[in-house]
Amino acid sequence: MTRSPDKAALDARPIPGWYQDAKLGVFIHWGLYSVPAFADPAAGDFNDFMRDLTAMKDTGGDMPYAEWYLNALRVPGSPTARHHQATYGDDFPYTRFRDQFDAAAAEVDFGDWARFFAGAGAQYVVMVTRHLDGYPLWPTKVANPHAPAGYRARRDLVGDLTAAVRAEGLRMGLYYAGGIDWTFTDRPIRTMTDLMEQQALGEEYARYATAQWRELIDSYRPSILWNDMGWPAEQDPHELFAHYYDSVPEGVVNDRWIQSKMPRNRLARGLYLRFMGTMLKLMTRGGKELPTPVPTFHYDVQTHEYRSPETVLPHAWELTRGLGTSFGHNAQESAADLLTGTELVHLLVDVVSKGGNLLVNVGPDGHGGIPEMQRRPLRELGAWLETNGRAIFATRPWTRTRTTTSEGHPIHFTSKDTTVYATVLADRLPGPLVIRDLTLSPGTHVQLLGADGDVDVAWTRRGADVEIATPQRRSPAHVLAMTTAG
């Protein structure tokens, strides 16, 4: 039976349980931009960029994301333009990175990638299939009217990685930059006006983007439809959603489908830009619900970028971020710019305690390798999850999200069935441990999870607090499983 594209009917569809149980995914940004692998370290972070953009300032093309290399290259005098001229010379267009990228891509062992993601504890993967530079990573049959024939990766990178990921028992999601394609325009994004105008590329682009999304759905049956940068106003996304759910009944759709159409009247345009600036602030700063009637489209999962909400949200959500300040590989970053394994553990615990998923990004280099400084924190996260994953996977938020120890260390709560997990974010467990403002029912059984087996620990009520006789030990975080009888 063909599903109705009616928004109300789509909204009534429950979010698949697998997504709410999964908790951890790996994002992959890899493309032509991975060859130059450059973003100016002085650009700040994503929040700095969004602050300037939504304040209607001219960003000068300076952006911390290396995957925006082509955009910054188009801004005369930008750090990227100066770097490109000094490194590659004046007669070296962005499209020349194809040869090096495709040659390296032909040799990549996606089985190694997939095994690494599984070892990190990821339950799903989301791959960028086409970023804003317009270069598809699969053998698309949808012709781009503004690019040379055959402008796509020579190897079916999407198909080969999808097969490798699924062979490891993980779900595969696909990203597509539906709102913008820089092969359809030669103007860079410097201001909010530029951004809005590039999200209104017209009917020709709308047909192209819709055809490519349908091709990806029909060819690879992704578990997640991860759109970015909005959606053309000329195409109703609900028709695409209905086709997707018919093809993938347990599929999940994100929330980045805002449709924009710049008014021609100057006053109306100014008001519209202010409105969209407010929407972007709300979508990126975390912790805030979009006011009605926005969004006017269906979605399953709300996406937050780099900043997580402050509290539990009443719907499914995810936090996505790079290990550093960029999604695409930025050779200017060092290990000191990336999250440590401990910081990554703490971030996951925080997100899950609020009911969210963490989609953490890796940016393979121009040779198709995942740099060791990116592998290290994910490897440490995987080792921690081997022992403590019960406090993460298939859990739900408890009646409260957090408290502290008597020493001030944060404690985050999750729950499953009759067990509440208290995860202490401290590298050293002092023994004994005092949890502030916690009441346990008589007969509650408390265990400290450990690599050598769980340890029963005694507890005592101390006024409004609970004292637990924990042994001293070190770990990125420590999990206490508190199980009530019945």
Side-chain angles (χ1 to χ4, degrees):
M1 183 180 69
T2 303
R3 193 179 301 267
S4 168
D6 177 69
K7 178 183 181 297
L10 296 174
D11 286 346
R13 172 184 174 272
I15 185 167
W18 76 261
Y19 184 84
Q20 293 180 299
D21 290 345
K23 304 305 179 187
L24 178 63
V26 171
F27 215 176
I28 305 170
H29 278 66
W30 184 52
L32 302 188
Y33 46 82
S34 305
V35 177
F38 178 88
D40 182 18
D45 59 21
F46 176 73
N47 292 309
D48 295 328
F49 175 80
M50 291 305 304
R51 179 197 62 218
D52 292 343
L53 191 70
T54 55
M56 308 301 170
K57 295 181 180 179
D58 186 337
T59 64
D62 212 1
M63 217 273 194
Y65 291 172
E67 64 272 21
W68 280 54
Y69 188 93
L70 176 57
N71 185 77
L73 180 60
R74 289 175 169 178
V75 179
S78 70
T80 298
R82 295 196 303 270
H83 167 81
H84 188 86
Q85 196 280 331
T87 307
Y88 304 104
D90 295 321
D91 188 22
F92 195 103
Y94 180 80
T95 52
R96 280 189 62 183
F97 290 126
R98 286 187 65 192
D99 291 339
Q100 184 175 334
F101 176 78
D102 281 340
E107 304 298 326
V108 172
D109 179 0
F110 288 125
D112 172 70
W113 285 19
R115 288 187 293 274
F116 172 66
F117 301 150
Q123 304 298 295
Y124 61 97
V125 173
V126 178
M127 180 190 193
V128 171
T129 66
R130 177 188 69 71
H131 208 267
L132 283 74
D133 63 354
Y135 193 64
L137 301 190
W138 78 100
T140 179
K141 294 181 175 62
V142 182
N144 184 332
H146 300 279
Y151 187 69
R152 58 174 177 77
R154 296 185 179 96
R155 177 182 176 185
D156 184 1
L157 305 176
V158 176
D160 290 352
L161 180 60
T162 296
V165 164
R166 288 174 175 162
E168 291 297 320
L170 311 183
R171 301 241 180 191
M172 186 69 182
L174 300 181
Y175 164 112
Y176 183 84
I180 294 175
D181 187 325
W182 290 327
T183 65
F184 281 74
T185 179
D186 59 2
R187 294 176 51 210
I189 296 172
R190 300 177 59 142
T191 66
M192 176 64 77
T193 302
D194 297 332
L195 178 63
M196 294 298 104
E197 287 181 344
Q198 288 203 20
Q199 288 179 328
L201 293 172
E203 180 63 38
E204 180 185 55
Y205 173 70
R207 290 194 302 269
Y208 173 78
T210 301
Q212 285 206 322
W213 247 141
R214 279 183 167 264
E215 186 178 56
L216 288 166
I217 292 168
D218 294 342
S219 298
Y220 306 109
R221 299 291 197 272
S223 293
I224 302 173
L225 212 65
W226 216 106
N227 193 71
D228 201 12
M229 304 303 296
W231 186 247
E234 294 81 5
Q235 291 282 337
D236 182 359
H238 298 98
E239 295 179 0
L240 187 67
F241 299 160
H243 173 69
Y244 172 57
Y245 292 141
D246 282 341
S247 304
V248 186
E250 288 198 326
V252 173
V253 172
N254 79 332
D255 66 336
R256 294 191 170 185
W257 299 82
I258 286 181
Q259 296 177 285
S260 62
K261 198 165 186 177
M262 286 284 285
R264 294 184 178 181
N265 177 275
R266 178 177 294 181
L267 176 60
R269 177 181 293 225
L271 292 172
Y272 179 74
L273 287 171
R274 287 190 179 91
F275 170 76
M276 291 305 297
T278 300
M279 292 303 99
L280 283 171
K281 285 180 181 178
L282 290 171
M283 290 179 69
T284 56
R285 71 187 179 186
K288 303 295 181 182
E289 287 289 287
L290 293 175
T292 54
V294 176
T296 58
F297 52 86
H298 163 77
Y299 67 90
D300 296 310
V301 176
Q302 189 181 91
T303 304
H304 296 256
E305 194 159 332
Y306 271 88
R307 295 183 64 181
S308 64
E310 298 171 0
T311 59
V312 175
L313 298 183
H315 49 69
W317 66 276
E318 72 177 357
L319 173 70
T320 186
R321 61 156 295 160
L323 287 166
T325 59
S326 177
F327 284 87
H329 176 54
N330 184 5
Q332 307 302 306
E333 288 187 327
S334 68
D337 299 310
L338 273 60
L339 293 174
T340 65
T342 294
E343 289 170 335
L344 189 53
V345 168
H346 291 190
L347 177 62
L348 177 63
V349 170
D350 173 72
V351 167
V352 173
S353 72
K354 299 170 187 172
N357 285 16
L358 175 62
L359 182 61
V360 63
N361 182 80
V362 297
D365 60 27
H367 301 290
I370 301 173
E372 174 59 25
M373 69 179 188
Q374 294 184 37
R375 287 178 178 262
R376 187 179 302 114
L378 283 163
R379 194 182 296 119
E380 293 174 10
L381 173 63
W384 184 84
L385 285 169
E386 283 187 11
T387 298
N388 302 285
R390 281 171 286 171
I392 300 297
F393 302 119
T395 62
R396 298 294 183 266
W398 193 38
T399 53
R400 55 191 293 200
T401 59
R402 58 185 177 265
T403 184
T404 65
T405 69
S406 58
E407 296 180 333
H409 295 297
I411 297 176
H412 290 261
F413 297 107
T414 54
S415 66
K416 183 179 181 182
D417 300 327
T418 60
T419 299
V420 172
Y421 297 97
T423 304
V424 184
L425 304 187
D427 61 357
R428 183 183 62 85
L429 202 58
L433 176 76
V434 176
I435 302 179
R436 294 293 193 193
D437 191 23
L438 178 68
T439 299
L440 295 181
S441 302
T444 297
H445 181 211
V446 180
Q447 289 184 309
L448 176 65
L449 305 191
D452 298 325
D454 303 340
V455 178
D456 292 343
V457 289
W459 62 272
T460 307
R461 181 175 297 171
R462 292 282 185 264
D465 304 334
V466 168
E467 181 179 295
I468 300 177
T470 55
Q472 294 189 12
R473 72 172 196 183
R474 291 187 175 275
S475 176
H478 312 267
V479 175
L480 292 162
M482 304 178 293
T483 304
T484 59

